[in-house]
Amino acid sequence: MAGSPDVQNLIELRPMTEPDLDAVVHNEFFAYAFPWIRSIFVECLNAGNECWVACIEKDIVGHAVLSIGGGESHLLNVCISRALQGNGYGRELVLHMLARARRGGADALFLEVRPSNVVASELYASLGFSEVGLRKDYYPSHLGHEDARVLVLDLESYFGE
């Protein structure tokens, strides 16, 4: 399940390390109104989660965090620098995380997405994710809280196993 060859040739995906966190947090703060803070990324690294960065010419332009356990995985965070969104880098990063989840023994991948995040919702729909629930008032918003759509992808079916 590969992405665009052009994007694959431009982007390098590698495990996140603590020295990457300045760039990761910078991207996070400019991409989201309610970003993760540095300590959350540190906790994810220390917990042994799958933490990856996307680089173009050594510059970190995106990141993703995935937890795996009990035959399931949860995509906790995906971010591409706001200036580079819409170029297929997010798709490439999500595809990589799907493969990491499957390699880690997960049969399913879950995630939450804001209903207002239409671009991400369309990406997940194009990859075959299905909505399985709604978490009321899950995300902070400028008007209080926003629900989260809970999505799942059957990784066995996705990878044709």
Side-chain angles (χ1 to χ4, degrees):
M1 303 294 156
S4 163
D6 292 338
V7 171
Q8 287 176 335
N9 291 335
L10 286 174
I11 197 168
E12 174 197 354
L13 301 171
R14 64 169 175 76
M16 183 187 299
T17 63
E18 200 147 343
D20 296 328
L21 292 181
D22 286 344
V24 166
V25 171
H26 175 83
N27 283 337
E28 182 84 5
F29 269 75
F30 282 98
Y32 296 123
F34 298 92
W36 279 18
I37 58 175
R38 183 186 197 90
S39 62
I40 296 173
F41 290 104
V42 170
E43 288 174 20
C44 289
L45 285 168
N46 290 340
N49 289 332
E50 290 274 344
C51 302
W52 288 77
V53 293
C55 303
I56 297 176
E57 296 180 3
K58 305 293 181 205
D59 291 330
I60 294 173
V61 299
H63 55 272
V65 177
L66 174 77
S67 68
I68 305 171
E72 295 180 352
S73 58
H74 197 124
L75 190 55
L76 302 171
N77 187 310
V78 176
C79 178
I80 295 294
S81 170
R82 184 161 303 281
L84 295 174
Q85 291 176 6
N87 293 300
Y89 302 120
R91 174 177 294 275
E92 200 63 35
L93 187 52
V94 170
L95 288 170
H96 179 75
M97 300 311 279
L98 296 178
R100 295 300 302 175
R102 189 66 187 133
R103 198 169 298 132
D107 298 325
L109 187 140
F110 291 86
L111 60 84
E112 290 87 19
V113 64
R114 292 174 183 266
S116 63
N117 192 342
V118 176
V119 172
S121 293
E122 289 174 354
L123 168 61
Y124 299 134
S126 75
L127 293 171
F129 280 84
S130 301
E131 186 168 336
V132 294
L134 191 71
R135 296 190 198 280
K136 298 297 283 177
D137 298 330
Y138 185 78
Y139 289 112
S141 76
H142 293 296
L143 301 175
H145 287 87
E146 182 177 2
D147 296 341
R149 297 175 55 225
V150 180
L151 307 181
V152 67
L153 181 68
D154 178 329
L155 294 173
E156 288 181 314
S157 296
Y158 184 80
F159 287 103
E161 300 167 1

